[in-house]
Amino acid sequence: MDFNFARNANTDWATWKNYLRQAMEFAEELGIPRDKIQSLANQAGDLLAQNVAPANPEQQLLKELWTVADQTERQTLARLMTKVVNQ
């Protein structure tokens, strides 16, 4: 798995979701609990919102939602993204 986060973020939506799914599966294989994975997703959301330009309309929407959300809402967005990529 290619762990270059910024490079993998700059792709189409389907590829981005697949990358996130693979990262989650890898974390689960390492025995990382689901709540910790969701916490890491929250940190990744902060990183992306601050440092990576959205590569597609879906990422742009997520960035806009992330920007206006409070911490509780961001945690919800992170949990929802983990659900989306596991579909």
Side-chain angles (χ1 to χ4, degrees):
M1 177 170 186
D2 180 0
F3 288 104
N4 187 319
F5 199 69
R7 180 176 56 237
N8 284 299
N10 288 316
T11 187
D12 64 88
W13 182 245
T15 303
W16 172 237
K17 287 192 322 181
N18 186 52
Y19 171 74
L20 293 176
R21 182 185 51 75
Q22 289 177 348
M24 285 185 58
E25 288 173 354
F26 181 71
E28 289 172 345
E29 288 173 10
L30 293 175
I32 298 172
R34 180 59 60 116
D35 60 330
K36 181 63 175 172
I37 292 171
Q38 290 173 345
S39 174
L40 293 169
N42 192 36
Q43 293 174 30
D46 283 336
L47 174 73
L48 287 169
Q50 295 170 13
N51 300 302
V52 179
N56 53 59
E58 296 87 353
Q59 288 177 351
Q60 179 64 40
L61 174 60
L62 282 173
K63 181 176 182 165
E64 290 178 26
L65 290 170
W66 197 266
T67 301
V68 300
D70 63 26
Q71 189 57 36
T72 301
E73 293 165 331
R74 287 178 179 181
Q75 290 171 349
T76 300
L77 283 170
R79 280 193 306 274
L80 289 170
M81 280 303 299
T82 62
K83 285 184 175 185
V84 166
V85 301
N86 279 320
Q87 289 183 345

